[in-house]
Amino acid sequence: MTDDAPVVSVPELSLVLLVGVSGSGKSTFAARHFKPTQVVSSDYCRGLVADDETDQSATPEAFALLNHIVGTRLRLGRLTVVDATNVQAHARAQLVDLAKRHNVLVDAIVLDVEPETAVERNRARADRDFGEAVVRRHHRDLKRGLKRMAKEGFRRVHRLEGAARIEAARVVTEKSWNDRTEETGPFDLIGDVHGCRAELEALLGELGWEIARDAQGRAAGAAHPEGRTAVFVGDLVDRGPDTPGVLRLVMGMVEAGNALCVQGNHEHKLVKALDGRKVRVAHGLAESLEQLGAEDEAFRGRARAFMDGLRSHYLLDGGRLVVAHAGLKEEFHGRASGKVRSFALYGDTTGETDEYGLPVRLPWAEDYRGEAAVVYGHTPVLEPEWVNNTICLDTGCCFGGKLTALRYPERDLVAVKAEREWYAPARPLGPAVPDRDPATLDVTDVAGDRHLATGLVGTVKVTAEHAAAALEVMSRFAEDPRRLLYLPPTMAPVDASDADGYLEHPAQAFDQYRGRAERVVCQEKHMGSRAVALVCRDAGTARRRFGLDAAPWGALVTRTGRAFFQDEALTGALLDRVAAAAGAAGLWERLDTDWMLLDCELLPWSAKARDLIEDQFAGVAAAGLAALPAAAAVLEAAAARGLDVAALAERTASRHANIAKFAAAYQRYCWPTDGLDGVRLAPFQVLATEGRNRADHRHDEHLALADALVAADGSGLLLETRRRFVALGTADEAAAVQWWLDLCAAGGEGMVVKPVLEDRPRLQPGLKVRGREYLRIIYGADYTDPERLAGLRQRRLQHKRSQALREYALGVAGLDLVAQRAPLWQVHQYVFAVLALESEPVDPRL
Amino acid sequence: MLLTITTTARPATDLGRLLRKHPDRVQSFEQSFGTAWVFYPEAGEDRCTAALLLEVDAARLARAHARASGDATLKQYVNDRPYAASSLLAVALGKVFSTARSGVSDERPELAASALPLEVALPAVPCKGGPDLVRDLFAPLGWEVEAEAVPLPGFDADSRHVRVRLRGEVRLADALSQLYVLLPVLDDAKHYWVDIGEVDKLVRSGGDWLAAHPRRGLIARRYLAHRRSYERAAFARLAEVAEAGDEDESPVEEEAGEPGEGSLPLHRIRIGAVLDALAASGAASVLDLGCGSGKLLDALLDDPRYTRITGADVSSRALDQAERALRLDRMPERRRRRLELIQGSVVYRDKRFAGYDAAVLMEVIEHLDPGRLPAMERVVFGAARPRTVVVTTPNAEYNARYGLAGHELRHADHRFEWDRARFAAWAEGVAARHGYRVRFEGVGAADPDAGAPTQMGVFDRD
């Protein structure tokens, strides 16, 4: 490389200002070295607002637009190049300020050409009619400002002198110091050590590290046989008995490439103190200074350089993991500024204000919505706890607590106890976020158009309109989000049957699954109300795992997320019975869990829907059974007079018979209940347990678990779900049809046909085949009239099927999050989305 | 679906002449929602009965309903319309017997003008208000009323349907127009669009008997499907017919209205109290959480001291109502600029709630499940943190004065109603947790023992 080929290196994420007079070749330079979309030009903005790139009267508006575009790009983390003359300091200052506000670095590239060259170039261009004087004045401004530019807040000012060097220059980008995304671990992340060398050695031993010792037998490095990388969250020093020993060990690990370390506030202050700057000697700094005083000068120098060179935070594992001493909010990840550094070292206690000018009060972790896991320390806690994908590992070792490590990606916690209290804490250790209320969610978690990822059907869109409807239902009627981890998807019916007198028939269900599954299960459809039960082994589980702070210690919710019973005691009593059954059946141990989410049907229908049944169905029957006999009587009298009313009388008689069947149909699903007396719960699937989403198509297993619960229930609450497995294409089909006819003849609602599969293809999870008489209460008493039936067979199922599949996909994705202990707001997004999809207008009879 | 009219005035078969339907024929009349049949099960000299039987086409009705209302519920497909003597039957009656209803008869003018011994039978009248309301509506018109609730099959309860038999000496035209008006009133369910023409129809059909009816307020309100503006127009027309002063109708009967004192209803008094509290706080910007149809917003807009007014409600329908009620589209620009309407929920933290001097939760908290109150508390007092928060809620102690039993609530959607001690305990807890002071006031005329009907807590902080 010669002097004729200068290299301009700019940060990957930065704002780059091109500085040069009109005609210095900025646009040509930008076009050669950057993508067109990375370059924002003042001329272009002038054209956008004024239809004329040279209209100087439009300059203020053009710059307002330019600033907006630049600000938006920087907020989104995109390298941005400003192509404007930028020869005056105040013009540059605005842009530097914009970069700082978005916590990105800013470089200047000065294109310094002779004014003659610039003037010459401008003459060659028809649209540039500036006088030579303007160019010369700008050139003077530039020359005068060049010296001071270094102090204007640029990371670097790249000056390219002369057209030849500008022509020859190459531009390269450099990665941010924070960016270690190529490091994929596995990692052992270690909390605040604070001079506790012995505990650190013990913890490393526990984690399987092999410690290397120097001639004096002191730990001077460590390596992991499986090639793990240690990441220290900072605050290695102060308070504890052996700060030099900790530094020696960690420096050795970092220098050998076996560890990374971010700076803590204690390192920051210790460096200042070692530099002889004025600091208040408190919080264990005295101990460090004293201990380091006993070391030789060379060690002190090495330690100082090490601590001073530590970064404020690291992005690791492709950006999926962020480590900062005091944590870091998402907008600061990978950014660089004093604000970012201060947050990373000291946390959100800098008197910052939010966009409304109010002090930020909520702990940052509670607001955190980022995809990346944030691991931090700084604030001593009793137990590390994941809060919105963040975790604090400072468990107060120096205060006699413990030293904690997080294995990543395993997410296991490993800790060793402190040998003793080395330093008296200023206040007792508390939880990570003292007044955390995980049930408080943010409206931006759910409102507006949303696209949610699902494994089954890809992205599911929720429109703002449906989200608005769901917001109302969720706010006014639904259970606390902590108790609302899943909403069952709607279920589509089978294709219409062509069998005489039938709208739905099992034959179509078998046909629909033929070729996609070898086996299906025909499952009795209990005529009650769908219920989802969150059953915890005990109150402690409910508190720990789901953050519940009041009874009932679990939940029983309807398909729209409402609590089944107003009376919390009743819910509690019901859940206790289910938990007892699970205990008696040995399910807690068998499933290795302390809680389970159950998909059930709660009977009788009248227990939840009595008002609806009275108002809707019984009211209709009352009117029909009162009016039709009266009509028959007057028709009979008219006929006796010789009037021809035969056809009308016949229709009336048929309608009378139909309404009587209608009345019989709904009455089968009603019986009186008192408290839990008379209430039955029929579980048919365990949806999720600790660490496991079970919402798959293994219905033989699901029903076996349900059977185990029912068998172990001594209270008479739980009810079996009858079923028949069918090998498609065999005589099983005909037998199942007969079974269905028998079920319906005995007053059953019908059945649900589900595929029995090992994998989880994109497939309707079930199809309902409702009984002929039951359908009267859905389609009206007279729906079996051949004319009506012919019309109903034309029903359109496409939307209902699509809705069922999308809701199912959302439900499964949500259960994945529940099983992974994802933050509540993420789980809630999926639950909310199912509710939102339910507000799509679909024929309610399907 | 069925109505029979019988007369015993000799010759009874003259009924056919008045109705202009021959007793020996079976006639059918196509309606938009089905077919109406007229025939005579008996037609003797001493006694003659005409039957009007309406065969409703349920599918056609469902389609019409879906077009009109846009909602899709099961009720649109499964309902009592094919069986009940509803407003559909009234419409059919109005059409089929239009001449008789007008009281004109070329053949028997004297008969049409005179009261006849009549008997009307309706096997299933849908009636919000039960047999008592049937009696209340028909007895003052000179009928002897037999009304009996139809039981709900399968439940130990009555349905909203009533078997009705009316006997009296009434002009046939009056009988028909009374049924035409009162069947939809009893039913109290809209099935067709009410338009301004209905107002005229009411006045025309109602005529003399309606202007003098003791329940004419309820009749007008229900007939016009609760459309207040039409109601006022209807009353104005009626006043032209008869110099009748407005009756005193109990508001409790229709809405869960809480009576106030004198002429001022409680909700007006409550708005006044909230406005006083806001004025005393010195607030210039106000957030009305749960603004509903915007009554408080309207009052705030009238006071220029409030420069920034935001109404938030979780229901987009409520916001639409507010938009209409406040006439947002026609509001002058200067007034409009001070107002914003947003959809938001008090149980979801919301940055848009921050930055106001004061927030109002007027009759809102009792619509939240008690378990969600801590979330509301964090959203309003913890995150939004206006200097002043005004909360009003019913005082349960006062409920006895409304004749409510101990467990009964004032509104079907209320999840709780607190006595003063319970409200104070909650409010003081909130204040302590979030650094507010709170003071309490009663709103509305106070009872010496029970206190005021509404209680108000005013929170402020430094």
PDB file of all heavy atoms in Angstrom, chain A residues 807-835:
ATOM      1  N   GLU A 807     -55.115 -20.073  14.844  1.00  0.00           N
ATOM      2  CA  GLU A 807     -55.202 -20.027  16.300  1.00  0.00           C
ATOM      3  C   GLU A 807     -54.433 -21.191  16.932  1.00  0.00           C
ATOM      4  O   GLU A 807     -53.790 -21.027  17.960  1.00  0.00           O
ATOM      5  CB  GLU A 807     -56.673 -20.059  16.749  1.00  0.00           C
ATOM      6  CG  GLU A 807     -57.397 -18.765  16.451  1.00  0.00           C
ATOM      7  CD  GLU A 807     -58.826 -18.748  16.966  1.00  0.00           C
ATOM      8  OE1 GLU A 807     -59.175 -19.617  17.798  1.00  0.00           O
ATOM      9  OE2 GLU A 807     -59.596 -17.889  16.551  1.00  0.00           O
ATOM     10  N   TYR A 808     -54.532 -22.337  16.288  1.00  0.00           N
ATOM     11  CA  TYR A 808     -53.796 -23.494  16.795  1.00  0.00           C
ATOM     12  C   TYR A 808     -52.290 -23.216  16.757  1.00  0.00           C
ATOM     13  O   TYR A 808     -51.575 -23.470  17.727  1.00  0.00           O
ATOM     14  CB  TYR A 808     -54.145 -24.719  15.955  1.00  0.00           C
ATOM     15  CG  TYR A 808     -53.382 -25.972  16.321  1.00  0.00           C
ATOM     16  CD1 TYR A 808     -53.608 -26.588  17.548  1.00  0.00           C
ATOM     17  CD2 TYR A 808     -52.447 -26.523  15.453  1.00  0.00           C
ATOM     18  CE1 TYR A 808     -52.900 -27.733  17.904  1.00  0.00           C
ATOM     19  CE2 TYR A 808     -51.749 -27.666  15.795  1.00  0.00           C
ATOM     20  CZ  TYR A 808     -51.973 -28.266  17.021  1.00  0.00           C
ATOM     21  OH  TYR A 808     -51.275 -29.385  17.370  1.00  0.00           O
ATOM     22  N   ALA A 809     -51.833 -22.669  15.647  1.00  0.00           N
ATOM     23  CA  ALA A 809     -50.399 -22.371  15.505  1.00  0.00           C
ATOM     24  C   ALA A 809     -49.955 -21.361  16.565  1.00  0.00           C
ATOM     25  O   ALA A 809     -48.884 -21.499  17.168  1.00  0.00           O
ATOM     26  CB  ALA A 809     -50.111 -21.830  14.102  1.00  0.00           C
ATOM     27  N   LEU A 810     -50.775 -20.349  16.804  1.00  0.00           N
ATOM     28  CA  LEU A 810     -50.439 -19.364  17.834  1.00  0.00           C
ATOM     29  C   LEU A 810     -50.408 -20.012  19.214  1.00  0.00           C
ATOM     30  O   LEU A 810     -49.532 -19.738  20.030  1.00  0.00           O
ATOM     31  CB  LEU A 810     -51.474 -18.228  17.843  1.00  0.00           C
ATOM     32  CG  LEU A 810     -51.429 -17.234  16.683  1.00  0.00           C
ATOM     33  CD1 LEU A 810     -52.695 -16.370  16.670  1.00  0.00           C
ATOM     34  CD2 LEU A 810     -50.192 -16.346  16.783  1.00  0.00           C
ATOM     35  N   GLY A 811     -51.384 -20.888  19.456  1.00  0.00           N
ATOM     36  CA  GLY A 811     -51.453 -21.553  20.753  1.00  0.00           C
ATOM     37  C   GLY A 811     -50.212 -22.399  21.006  1.00  0.00           C
ATOM     38  O   GLY A 811     -49.624 -22.347  22.086  1.00  0.00           O
ATOM     39  N   VAL A 812     -49.804 -23.149  19.980  1.00  0.00           N
ATOM     40  CA  VAL A 812     -48.624 -24.011  20.123  1.00  0.00           C
ATOM     41  C   VAL A 812     -47.372 -23.153  20.352  1.00  0.00           C
ATOM     42  O   VAL A 812     -46.555 -23.444  21.226  1.00  0.00           O
ATOM     43  CB  VAL A 812     -48.452 -24.907  18.872  1.00  0.00           C
ATOM     44  CG1 VAL A 812     -47.104 -25.615  18.900  1.00  0.00           C
ATOM     45  CG2 VAL A 812     -49.580 -25.928  18.805  1.00  0.00           C
ATOM     46  N   ALA A 813     -47.253 -22.061  19.579  1.00  0.00           N
ATOM     47  CA  ALA A 813     -46.085 -21.194  19.736  1.00  0.00           C
ATOM     48  C   ALA A 813     -46.077 -20.570  21.136  1.00  0.00           C
ATOM     49  O   ALA A 813     -45.027 -20.442  21.773  1.00  0.00           O
ATOM     50  CB  ALA A 813     -46.096 -20.100  18.668  1.00  0.00           C
ATOM     51  N   GLY A 814     -47.265 -20.200  21.625  1.00  0.00           N
ATOM     52  CA  GLY A 814     -47.369 -19.625  22.965  1.00  0.00           C
ATOM     53  C   GLY A 814     -46.965 -20.637  24.032  1.00  0.00           C
ATOM     54  O   GLY A 814     -46.282 -20.301  24.999  1.00  0.00           O
ATOM     55  N   LEU A 815     -47.370 -21.899  23.831  1.00  0.00           N
ATOM     56  CA  LEU A 815     -47.015 -22.930  24.815  1.00  0.00           C
ATOM     57  C   LEU A 815     -45.509 -23.201  24.809  1.00  0.00           C
ATOM     58  O   LEU A 815     -44.933 -23.509  25.853  1.00  0.00           O
ATOM     59  CB  LEU A 815     -47.796 -24.212  24.536  1.00  0.00           C
ATOM     60  CG  LEU A 815     -49.292 -24.150  24.863  1.00  0.00           C
ATOM     61  CD1 LEU A 815     -49.996 -25.404  24.390  1.00  0.00           C
ATOM     62  CD2 LEU A 815     -49.522 -23.946  26.358  1.00  0.00           C
ATOM     63  N   ASP A 816     -44.893 -23.073  23.623  1.00  0.00           N
ATOM     64  CA  ASP A 816     -43.431 -23.183  23.583  1.00  0.00           C
ATOM     65  C   ASP A 816     -42.819 -22.147  24.531  1.00  0.00           C
ATOM     66  O   ASP A 816     -41.899 -22.450  25.293  1.00  0.00           O
ATOM     67  CB  ASP A 816     -42.904 -22.908  22.159  1.00  0.00           C
ATOM     68  CG  ASP A 816     -43.018 -24.127  21.257  1.00  0.00           C
ATOM     69  OD1 ASP A 816     -43.146 -25.245  21.812  1.00  0.00           O
ATOM     70  OD2 ASP A 816     -42.982 -23.966  20.033  1.00  0.00           O
ATOM     71  N   LEU A 817     -43.352 -20.938  24.471  1.00  0.00           N
ATOM     72  CA  LEU A 817     -42.816 -19.860  25.308  1.00  0.00           C
ATOM     73  C   LEU A 817     -43.071 -20.141  26.782  1.00  0.00           C
ATOM     74  O   LEU A 817     -42.212 -19.902  27.632  1.00  0.00           O
ATOM     75  CB  LEU A 817     -43.441 -18.523  24.897  1.00  0.00           C
ATOM     76  CG  LEU A 817     -43.054 -18.024  23.495  1.00  0.00           C
ATOM     77  CD1 LEU A 817     -43.947 -16.879  23.058  1.00  0.00           C
ATOM     78  CD2 LEU A 817     -41.590 -17.584  23.486  1.00  0.00           C
ATOM     79  N   VAL A 818     -44.258 -20.669  27.079  1.00  0.00           N
ATOM     80  CA  VAL A 818     -44.566 -20.999  28.483  1.00  0.00           C
ATOM     81  C   VAL A 818     -43.561 -22.025  28.993  1.00  0.00           C
ATOM     82  O   VAL A 818     -42.987 -21.875  30.065  1.00  0.00           O
ATOM     83  CB  VAL A 818     -46.005 -21.541  28.612  1.00  0.00           C
ATOM     84  CG1 VAL A 818     -46.252 -22.095  30.011  1.00  0.00           C
ATOM     85  CG2 VAL A 818     -47.018 -20.455  28.276  1.00  0.00           C
ATOM     86  N   ALA A 819     -43.352 -23.065  28.161  1.00  0.00           N
ATOM     87  CA  ALA A 819     -42.450 -24.137  28.583  1.00  0.00           C
ATOM     88  C   ALA A 819     -41.028 -23.624  28.754  1.00  0.00           C
ATOM     89  O   ALA A 819     -40.300 -24.068  29.639  1.00  0.00           O
ATOM     90  CB  ALA A 819     -42.489 -25.274  27.559  1.00  0.00           C
ATOM     91  N   GLN A 820     -40.641 -22.643  27.920  1.00  0.00           N
ATOM     92  CA  GLN A 820     -39.271 -22.099  28.001  1.00  0.00           C
ATOM     93  C   GLN A 820     -39.114 -21.037  29.066  1.00  0.00           C
ATOM     94  O   GLN A 820     -38.078 -20.369  29.118  1.00  0.00           O
ATOM     95  CB  GLN A 820     -38.900 -21.434  26.664  1.00  0.00           C
ATOM     96  CG  GLN A 820     -38.677 -22.362  25.518  1.00  0.00           C
ATOM     97  CD  GLN A 820     -38.801 -21.593  24.206  1.00  0.00           C
ATOM     98  OE1 GLN A 820     -38.682 -20.371  24.174  1.00  0.00           O
ATOM     99  NE2 GLN A 820     -39.055 -22.299  23.130  1.00  0.00           N
ATOM    100  N   ARG A 821     -40.169 -20.784  29.822  1.00  0.00           N
ATOM    101  CA  ARG A 821     -40.163 -19.714  30.826  1.00  0.00           C
ATOM    102  C   ARG A 821     -39.874 -18.364  30.198  1.00  0.00           C
ATOM    103  O   ARG A 821     -39.140 -17.538  30.735  1.00  0.00           O
ATOM    104  CB  ARG A 821     -39.075 -19.967  31.880  1.00  0.00           C
ATOM    105  CG  ARG A 821     -39.340 -21.162  32.763  1.00  0.00           C
ATOM    106  CD  ARG A 821     -38.124 -21.421  33.621  1.00  0.00           C
ATOM    107  NE  ARG A 821     -38.444 -22.236  34.773  1.00  0.00           N
ATOM    108  CZ  ARG A 821     -38.646 -21.756  35.980  1.00  0.00           C
ATOM    109  NH1 ARG A 821     -38.575 -20.482  36.224  1.00  0.00           N
ATOM    110  NH2 ARG A 821     -38.929 -22.568  36.977  1.00  0.00           N
ATOM    111  N   ALA A 822     -40.443 -18.126  29.039  1.00  0.00           N
ATOM    112  CA  ALA A 822     -40.257 -16.835  28.375  1.00  0.00           C
ATOM    113  C   ALA A 822     -40.958 -15.763  29.208  1.00  0.00           C
ATOM    114  O   ALA A 822     -41.829 -16.066  30.017  1.00  0.00           O
ATOM    115  CB  ALA A 822     -40.847 -16.892  26.973  1.00  0.00           C
ATOM    116  N   PRO A 823     -40.556 -14.511  29.004  1.00  0.00           N
ATOM    117  CA  PRO A 823     -41.209 -13.429  29.744  1.00  0.00           C
ATOM    118  C   PRO A 823     -42.721 -13.404  29.493  1.00  0.00           C
ATOM    119  O   PRO A 823     -43.176 -13.758  28.400  1.00  0.00           O
ATOM    120  CB  PRO A 823     -40.573 -12.158  29.182  1.00  0.00           C
ATOM    121  CG  PRO A 823     -39.340 -12.591  28.493  1.00  0.00           C
ATOM    122  CD  PRO A 823     -39.491 -14.023  28.132  1.00  0.00           C
ATOM    123  N   LEU A 824     -43.448 -12.970  30.508  1.00  0.00           N
ATOM    124  CA  LEU A 824     -44.899 -12.990  30.430  1.00  0.00           C
ATOM    125  C   LEU A 824     -45.421 -12.205  29.234  1.00  0.00           C
ATOM    126  O   LEU A 824     -46.372 -12.591  28.578  1.00  0.00           O
ATOM    127  CB  LEU A 824     -45.496 -12.421  31.720  1.00  0.00           C
ATOM    128  CG  LEU A 824     -47.020 -12.473  31.783  1.00  0.00           C
ATOM    129  CD1 LEU A 824     -47.531 -13.889  31.835  1.00  0.00           C
ATOM    130  CD2 LEU A 824     -47.546 -11.678  32.957  1.00  0.00           C
ATOM    131  N   TRP A 825     -44.779 -11.071  28.946  1.00  0.00           N
ATOM    132  CA  TRP A 825     -45.308 -10.250  27.846  1.00  0.00           C
ATOM    133  C   TRP A 825     -45.261 -10.996  26.527  1.00  0.00           C
ATOM    134  O   TRP A 825     -46.110 -10.805  25.671  1.00  0.00           O
ATOM    135  CB  TRP A 825     -44.581  -8.914  27.748  1.00  0.00           C
ATOM    136  CG  TRP A 825     -43.132  -9.014  27.366  1.00  0.00           C
ATOM    137  CD1 TRP A 825     -42.072  -9.134  28.199  1.00  0.00           C
ATOM    138  CD2 TRP A 825     -42.590  -9.010  26.029  1.00  0.00           C
ATOM    139  NE1 TRP A 825     -40.912  -9.211  27.486  1.00  0.00           N
ATOM    140  CE2 TRP A 825     -41.197  -9.126  26.157  1.00  0.00           C
ATOM    141  CE3 TRP A 825     -43.155  -8.905  24.763  1.00  0.00           C
ATOM    142  CZ2 TRP A 825     -40.353  -9.162  25.045  1.00  0.00           C
ATOM    143  CZ3 TRP A 825     -42.312  -8.942  23.659  1.00  0.00           C
ATOM    144  CH2 TRP A 825     -40.920  -9.062  23.814  1.00  0.00           C
ATOM    145  N   GLN A 826     -44.287 -11.892  26.368  1.00  0.00           N
ATOM    146  CA  GLN A 826     -44.208 -12.660  25.123  1.00  0.00           C
ATOM    147  C   GLN A 826     -45.326 -13.690  25.061  1.00  0.00           C
ATOM    148  O   GLN A 826     -45.986 -13.847  24.045  1.00  0.00           O
ATOM    149  CB  GLN A 826     -42.863 -13.373  25.027  1.00  0.00           C
ATOM    150  CG  GLN A 826     -41.760 -12.460  24.562  1.00  0.00           C
ATOM    151  CD  GLN A 826     -40.458 -13.224  24.356  1.00  0.00           C
ATOM    152  OE1 GLN A 826     -40.240 -14.268  24.957  1.00  0.00           O
ATOM    153  NE2 GLN A 826     -39.604 -12.689  23.515  1.00  0.00           N
ATOM    154  N   VAL A 827     -45.519 -14.391  26.172  1.00  0.00           N
ATOM    155  CA  VAL A 827     -46.601 -15.378  26.225  1.00  0.00           C
ATOM    156  C   VAL A 827     -47.924 -14.663  25.975  1.00  0.00           C
ATOM    157  O   VAL A 827     -48.765 -15.114  25.187  1.00  0.00           O
ATOM    158  CB  VAL A 827     -46.626 -16.068  27.609  1.00  0.00           C
ATOM    159  CG1 VAL A 827     -47.841 -16.965  27.731  1.00  0.00           C
ATOM    160  CG2 VAL A 827     -45.340 -16.846  27.846  1.00  0.00           C
ATOM    161  N   HIS A 828     -48.069 -13.505  26.623  1.00  0.00           N
ATOM    162  CA  HIS A 828     -49.326 -12.767  26.524  1.00  0.00           C
ATOM    163  C   HIS A 828     -49.624 -12.337  25.082  1.00  0.00           C
ATOM    164  O   HIS A 828     -50.773 -12.316  24.674  1.00  0.00           O
ATOM    165  CB  HIS A 828     -49.270 -11.554  27.449  1.00  0.00           C
ATOM    166  CG  HIS A 828     -50.580 -10.826  27.548  1.00  0.00           C
ATOM    167  ND1 HIS A 828     -51.701 -11.386  28.109  1.00  0.00           N
ATOM    168  CD2 HIS A 828     -50.948  -9.585  27.135  1.00  0.00           C
ATOM    169  CE1 HIS A 828     -52.701 -10.522  28.037  1.00  0.00           C
ATOM    170  NE2 HIS A 828     -52.268  -9.423  27.451  1.00  0.00           N
ATOM    171  N   GLN A 829     -48.584 -12.009  24.336  1.00  0.00           N
ATOM    172  CA  GLN A 829     -48.799 -11.618  22.942  1.00  0.00           C
ATOM    173  C   GLN A 829     -49.523 -12.711  22.171  1.00  0.00           C
ATOM    174  O   GLN A 829     -50.390 -12.438  21.353  1.00  0.00           O
ATOM    175  CB  GLN A 829     -47.453 -11.348  22.261  1.00  0.00           C
ATOM    176  CG  GLN A 829     -46.857 -10.026  22.657  1.00  0.00           C
ATOM    177  CD  GLN A 829     -45.655  -9.676  21.799  1.00  0.00           C
ATOM    178  OE1 GLN A 829     -44.922 -10.562  21.349  1.00  0.00           O
ATOM    179  NE2 GLN A 829     -45.455  -8.397  21.575  1.00  0.00           N
ATOM    180  N   TYR A 830     -49.166 -13.956  22.441  1.00  0.00           N
ATOM    181  CA  TYR A 830     -49.775 -15.064  21.715  1.00  0.00           C
ATOM    182  C   TYR A 830     -51.200 -15.321  22.195  1.00  0.00           C
ATOM    183  O   TYR A 830     -52.100 -15.593  21.409  1.00  0.00           O
ATOM    184  CB  TYR A 830     -48.899 -16.316  21.811  1.00  0.00           C
ATOM    185  CG  TYR A 830     -47.712 -16.201  20.878  1.00  0.00           C
ATOM    186  CD1 TYR A 830     -46.567 -15.507  21.244  1.00  0.00           C
ATOM    187  CD2 TYR A 830     -47.776 -16.726  19.593  1.00  0.00           C
ATOM    188  CE1 TYR A 830     -45.502 -15.349  20.380  1.00  0.00           C
ATOM    189  CE2 TYR A 830     -46.725 -16.582  18.709  1.00  0.00           C
ATOM    190  CZ  TYR A 830     -45.587 -15.895  19.106  1.00  0.00           C
ATOM    191  OH  TYR A 830     -44.547 -15.738  18.226  1.00  0.00           O
ATOM    192  N   VAL A 831     -51.382 -15.263  23.506  1.00  0.00           N
ATOM    193  CA  VAL A 831     -52.724 -15.455  24.048  1.00  0.00           C
ATOM    194  C   VAL A 831     -53.645 -14.356  23.517  1.00  0.00           C
ATOM    195  O   VAL A 831     -54.769 -14.605  23.074  1.00  0.00           O
ATOM    196  CB  VAL A 831     -52.670 -15.411  25.594  1.00  0.00           C
ATOM    197  CG1 VAL A 831     -54.073 -15.481  26.172  1.00  0.00           C
ATOM    198  CG2 VAL A 831     -51.810 -16.546  26.128  1.00  0.00           C
ATOM    199  N   PHE A 832     -53.117 -13.165  23.537  1.00  0.00           N
ATOM    200  CA  PHE A 832     -53.868 -12.003  23.070  1.00  0.00           C
ATOM    201  C   PHE A 832     -54.226 -12.172  21.592  1.00  0.00           C
ATOM    202  O   PHE A 832     -55.337 -11.859  21.167  1.00  0.00           O
ATOM    203  CB  PHE A 832     -53.014 -10.752  23.279  1.00  0.00           C
ATOM    204  CG  PHE A 832     -53.750  -9.454  23.086  1.00  0.00           C
ATOM    205  CD1 PHE A 832     -54.300  -8.785  24.168  1.00  0.00           C
ATOM    206  CD2 PHE A 832     -53.884  -8.895  21.830  1.00  0.00           C
ATOM    207  CE1 PHE A 832     -54.968  -7.588  23.996  1.00  0.00           C
ATOM    208  CE2 PHE A 832     -54.561  -7.706  21.649  1.00  0.00           C
ATOM    209  CZ  PHE A 832     -55.102  -7.041  22.740  1.00  0.00           C
ATOM    210  N   ALA A 833     -53.278 -12.677  20.839  1.00  0.00           N
ATOM    211  CA  ALA A 833     -53.504 -12.837  19.397  1.00  0.00           C
ATOM    212  C   ALA A 833     -54.626 -13.834  19.128  1.00  0.00           C
ATOM    213  O   ALA A 833     -55.435 -13.635  18.219  1.00  0.00           O
ATOM    214  CB  ALA A 833     -52.216 -13.282  18.712  1.00  0.00           C
ATOM    215  N   VAL A 834     -54.686 -14.912  19.913  1.00  0.00           N
ATOM    216  CA  VAL A 834     -55.760 -15.884  19.719  1.00  0.00           C
ATOM    217  C   VAL A 834     -57.109 -15.209  19.966  1.00  0.00           C
ATOM    218  O   VAL A 834     -58.056 -15.344  19.185  1.00  0.00           O
ATOM    219  CB  VAL A 834     -55.587 -17.101  20.658  1.00  0.00           C
ATOM    220  CG1 VAL A 834     -56.807 -18.013  20.589  1.00  0.00           C
ATOM    221  CG2 VAL A 834     -54.329 -17.880  20.291  1.00  0.00           C
ATOM    222  N   LEU A 835     -57.171 -14.421  21.024  1.00  0.00           N
ATOM    223  CA  LEU A 835     -58.407 -13.712  21.325  1.00  0.00           C
ATOM    224  C   LEU A 835     -58.748 -12.740  20.197  1.00  0.00           C
ATOM    225  O   LEU A 835     -59.905 -12.595  19.805  1.00  0.00           O
ATOM    226  CB  LEU A 835     -58.261 -12.958  22.652  1.00  0.00           C
ATOM    227  CG  LEU A 835     -59.559 -12.443  23.261  1.00  0.00           C
ATOM    228  CD1 LEU A 835     -60.473 -13.586  23.637  1.00  0.00           C
ATOM    229  CD2 LEU A 835     -59.269 -11.581  24.480  1.00  0.00           C
TER     230      LEU A 835
END
